Amino acid sequence: MPPTLEGRGVQLAEIEAVVVAYDLISPYGWDVASCWEGLFSGATAIRELDRFSTESLRTDKAALVPGLDPDADESLVMQMVRPLIERSASTLPEDALLLLATTNGEIDVLERSVLLGTPDAHGSCPDRLASKIQTLCGLRESGVVVCAACASSSAAVAQGAAMIRDGDRDCVLVVASDNVSEFVAAGFSSLMALDRDMARPFDKNRRGMSLGEAAAFILLMSDVRASREGRPVYAEIAGWGLSSDANHITGPSRDGSGLALALRKAIRSAALSADEVGSISAHGTGTEYNDSMEMKAFKSVFTGRSVPTYSLKGGIGHTMGTAGLADIIVAIETLRKKAVPPTVNLRDVADEAMGWASPEPRGCESAVTVSTNSGFGGVNCAVVLRSGQTGPARMPSR
């Protein structure tokens, strides 16, 4: 007989990890609705970058969250995370385990220390950020930092869901945030990874990514606890898979084999078939190699048919450690609203993405979607989501 959860006679194989709350601050605005509506408008949030000098950089554009103050005492990350958490504080149980997903944390604190000689460099460590968020949320336990490059937050969601399904936890809070900084922009510029204009995912003429920033959270619970507390269930984290193709320090495996492995693991752990997946929230950075390898991976897993595929990064840029969670939140909205967003800035669909990616919104009745993310070092993550109990909303007009 399998072990049970909290002595209530529930077999671990029966436990589901469900989404009971979520929120997102993006370059489109300060809530999920503004991001959803921005994507469906077809207009990008990538604008001229005026936060610091771009004279020596490859581009002068990025997607910034409106209203942030780089000269404030509080870091840009905390300027996003604080209102995000404060407006949802009443929904966050104090016994939730915090998983913080970030690639750079409060990097602007470190920048000030280096450039201005301020003594607070140690304050930029991600564990300090986790401690601040723990206090802000009123959680009893210290958090865990999850850093898997640009797959950080999708990996954190997978880890949280695994803890719940295994019976180790019945409530996990995943928080993610990264901001556009001079340090980050200079790094990606030196890699020649930035489009001089704007990211165009899955476009025949794509030339690179655009940076973006965001903050998001998702609250996961066991279905047992969610039912006991009368929580709304927006989606189930039905399955997940991770892999490392170990191809290159920054470049993905060109044949897509690493991502395909993560996808197959995710679908298998969800006890589904590939035919049941109705849409794909792709990583879709707009770089030549990422988009190409993703399409190879998708076609090797979803054989014999095309699956509606989209990327957020032409709209909000690449939000680094928050990218996976932003993708997952929008994917939940696609299930609720029965609609697939357009890929913003996509003008001339690449041959390999024809029939998959589109600059137009599409309807989708499927109850299952998948989100994929990849990061430096060859890490790949796929998360399968299934519709929850909350009813769908109307697809917005464009």
Side-chain angles (χ1 to χ4, degrees), residues 48 52 108 137 158 214 223 225 337 346 356 364 384-385 398:
E48 183 178 350
F52 47 79
D108 48 330
C137 296
D223 58 332
R225 177 167 176 173
K337 296 176 170 62
L346 176 57
W356 295 68
C364 184
V384 176
L385 299 111
R398 180 169 176 180

Side-chain angles (χ1 to χ4, degrees), residues 372-388:
T372 60
N373 289 92
S374 299
F376 285 176
V379 61
N380 302 283
C381 184
V383 176
V384 176
L385 299 111
R386 184 160 35 204
S387 290

Side-chain angles (χ1 to χ4, degrees), residues 252-312:
S253 177
R254 305 276 180 93
D255 63 5
S257 57
L259 181 58
L261 176 60
L263 265 168
R264 291 192 178 97
K265 286 182 176 181
I267 293 169
R268 184 168 63 249
S269 77
L272 297 170
S273 71
D275 290 341
E276 294 176 86
V277 175
S279 61
I280 303 170
S281 176
H283 194 48
T285 61
T287 61
E288 179 181 354
Y289 294 135
N290 176 89
D291 295 10
S292 176
M293 85 78 180
E294 280 202 281
M295 290 312 310
K296 290 183 176 70
F298 298 156
K299 290 179 180 180
S300 72
V301 173
F302 304 103
T303 56
R305 69 185 182 111
S306 59
V307 181
T309 300
Y310 61 96
S311 168
L312 307 187

Side-chain angles (χ1 to χ4, degrees), residues 156-168:
V157 169
Q159 182 177 351
M163 289 177 171
I164 290 171
R165 185 183 285 183
D166 290 344
D168 296 331

